[in-house]
Amino acid sequence: MAQMIEITDFDAPELDVYARLTENQLINRHEPEKGMFIAESPKVIERALDAGYMPVSILTEKRHIEGEGQKILARCGEIPVYTAEFDVLTKLTGFQLTRGMLCAMYRQPLPSVQSVCKGAKRIAVLENVVNPTNVGAIFRSAAALGMDAVLLTTGCSNPLYRRAIRVSMGTVFQVPWTYLGEETKPETVRNPDSEEEKEPGTGIERNLEPEEKADSGNWQKQLHELGFHTVAMALKEDSLSIDDPKLMNEDKLAIVLGTEGDGLAPETIATCDDTVCIPMAHGVDSLNVAAASAVAFWQLGRQAHKDNCCNMNSNYQLWE
C-alpha cells in the first residue's frame, strides 16, 4: 500500500527530485546505480513500469489517486506518494507542465549493442543529436514506424531526460536502445544552458568532450559485423533517393541521422555504405532531424515489416 503524504512544506528535501534537481544531479555520476529519471503522466509511467523500471516515489494531484493513477499506485507498492490539489502543486517549479502525475524511477544498466540489435532488421543510429525534444520525437517515430532499435553516439542527449521522455510519450521504454562504443559514459552531461535549467529535470545535453566522441569507423565496423548495411541521411550529389529499390531489398539496414544544423560528420558519411536523401520540393534543402527520421523510418521500415504492418498499432500503441 502506497504511503500518502500531503504536501505542506515545499522546501522538503523529498521533493527536490521533482522541483530542484537538474538532470546532471539526477543521473548521479558518482553513484550511477542510484541514478534516476522522472516519468510524467499515468500512461508514460505505466510504460516505464511495463519495461521493468523501479519506482522511487510519486508526486500527483489528488484527483489521480482515485482516478487515472489508481492502477499505477496499485503497481508501485509501498513507496511515498506526495499529493496536493493542482493549484498547490503548481507552486512547485515545473509541475504546471505535467499531466498530473510524476514518478521518480531508478535507471537501469545499459544493454550491449549486440543484445539491442539481436533479431533487428531496421535500426536508427543517432550521431550527436543534442536536443532532447528531437531525441524524444525520433523515438516516437521509431516506435510507430517500424524501427527495431535505436543506437546513440555518446554525444547525444540522453533518452531518459525528462523532456525526451515527455516528447516520446513513453516510447523510450518500448524501443530497445543503448550507446555505441565500448567505452561509453552515459552518465556524463555538459553544463546546461540557462534556458534549459529553468525546468528542473529537463534538457541538459550530453558532453561533447573529444575523448567521448564515438569513432564512426569503429561503430560502423561493429554494425557491419552484425550484418547491417549503413545508410547516411545526407545531401550529396550521388545520394540515393530514399525510395531506391536497392535500399528496400536490404535485409538489415541502419539509418544514420546527424546532429541539428550540421548534420552528419563528413567521416561518418564517407564510411557509410550509401548516402540517402529525401526528395524535396519548393527549393527546401532539408528537414528537421526529427521530421526527416519519420519520413526515413516510414519508407525504409516498410519492406522489413510488411508482413506485420497491420499489427504495429497494437505493438506500439501511442496517444496524444
Side-chain angles (χ1 to χ4, degrees):
M1 185 72 179
Q3 307 170 42
M4 301 297 174
I5 302 170
E6 184 85 14
I7 295 173
T8 57
D9 181 7
F10 288 100
D11 294 323
E14 294 84 359
L15 300 179
D16 286 350
V17 65
Y18 300 106
R20 289 173 283 276
L21 295 187
T22 66
E23 291 287 5
N24 200 351
Q25 293 167 317
L26 283 173
I27 286 176
N28 198 344
R29 285 183 284 178
H30 302 296
E31 296 181 277
E33 70 279 2
K34 296 180 181 178
M36 290 188 285
F37 64 88
I38 304 297
E40 302 182 5
S41 86
K43 289 180 180 178
V44 171
I45 295 168
E46 186 174 18
R47 294 286 179 185
L49 291 172
D50 289 345
Y53 287 91
M54 183 181 299
V56 178
S57 66
I58 285 175
L59 176 66
T60 184
E61 292 179 59
K62 283 185 175 179
R63 66 185 179 91
H64 284 300
I65 293 175
E66 299 297 331
E68 193 176 3
Q70 188 174 20
K71 187 167 62 173
I72 299 296
L73 297 176
R75 295 181 61 181
C76 288
E78 296 183 6
I79 63 170
V81 177
Y82 304 101
T83 184
E85 299 294 347
F86 180 76
D87 58 345
V88 175
L89 290 176
T90 55
K91 296 177 184 177
L92 285 169
T93 304
F95 191 85
Q96 62 268 32
L97 301 174
T98 77
R99 299 192 179 190
M101 178 175 273
L102 301 176
C103 184
M105 310 184 95
Y106 284 121
R107 291 171 177 260
Q108 296 177 348
L110 287 174
S112 67
V113 171
Q114 288 83 353
S115 65
V116 165
C117 293
K118 185 176 181 180
K121 295 192 174 194
R122 293 293 185 269
I123 64 172
V125 179
L126 310 187
E127 181 183 75
N128 300 342
V129 178
V130 297
N131 187 310
T133 298
N134 283 334
V135 170
I138 290 169
F139 265 86
R140 191 171 185 183
S141 293
L145 301 174
M147 294 298 104
D148 299 309
V150 176
L151 302 178
L152 306 95
T153 67
T154 55
C156 284
S157 183
N158 195 296
L160 295 186
Y161 287 166
R162 186 161 155 183
R163 191 186 302 166
I165 295 172
R166 180 196 308 154
V167 174
S168 82
M169 294 304 295
T171 55
V172 295
F173 306 121
Q174 291 181 290
V175 181
W177 65 271
T178 194
Y179 283 97
L180 287 158
E182 295 179 358
E183 300 298 329
T184 57
K185 301 177 183 177
E187 72 278 7
T188 305
V189 295
R190 69 168 175 82
N191 291 327
D193 294 334
S194 58
E195 280 298 308
E196 294 168 338
E197 189 69 348
K198 288 180 180 178
E199 184 184 347
T202 63
I204 304 172
E205 299 159 6
R206 292 187 50 77
N207 198 336
L208 273 172
E209 293 299 321
E211 67 270 19
E212 286 199 87
K213 291 182 180 178
D215 182 86
S216 174
N218 287 342
W219 59 254
Q220 290 207 50
K221 179 182 178 183
Q222 188 176 22
L223 292 182
H224 287 145
E225 289 173 350
L226 292 171
F228 286 94
H229 185 90
T230 58
V231 294
M233 298 296 297
L235 296 171
K236 287 184 63 182
E237 289 187 2
D238 60 347
S239 291
L240 298 175
S241 174
I242 198 167
D243 59 356
D244 192 294
K246 173 185 175 181
L247 302 175
M248 302 298 288
N249 292 328
E250 289 290 345
D251 182 49
K252 299 175 75 173
L253 204 60
I255 304 164
V256 187
L257 298 136
T259 187
E260 300 86 351
D262 294 333
L264 291 170
E267 55 269 26
T268 299
I269 297 173
T271 51
C272 278
D273 296 312
D274 283 305
T275 305
V276 176
C277 69
I278 300 169
M280 305 270 179
H282 301 293
V284 177
D285 61 357
S286 64
L287 296 174
N288 165 274
V289 64
S293 75
V295 176
F297 299 164
W298 164 249
Q299 179 62 38
L300 299 176
R302 286 189 301 162
Q303 185 71 13
H305 299 284
K306 62 182 180 180
D307 294 334
N308 62 354
C309 265
C310 293
N311 296 322
M312 285 171 61
N313 284 340
S314 60
N315 293 335
Y316 296 116
Q317 183 182 358
L318 304 180
W319 55 87
E320 292 299 330

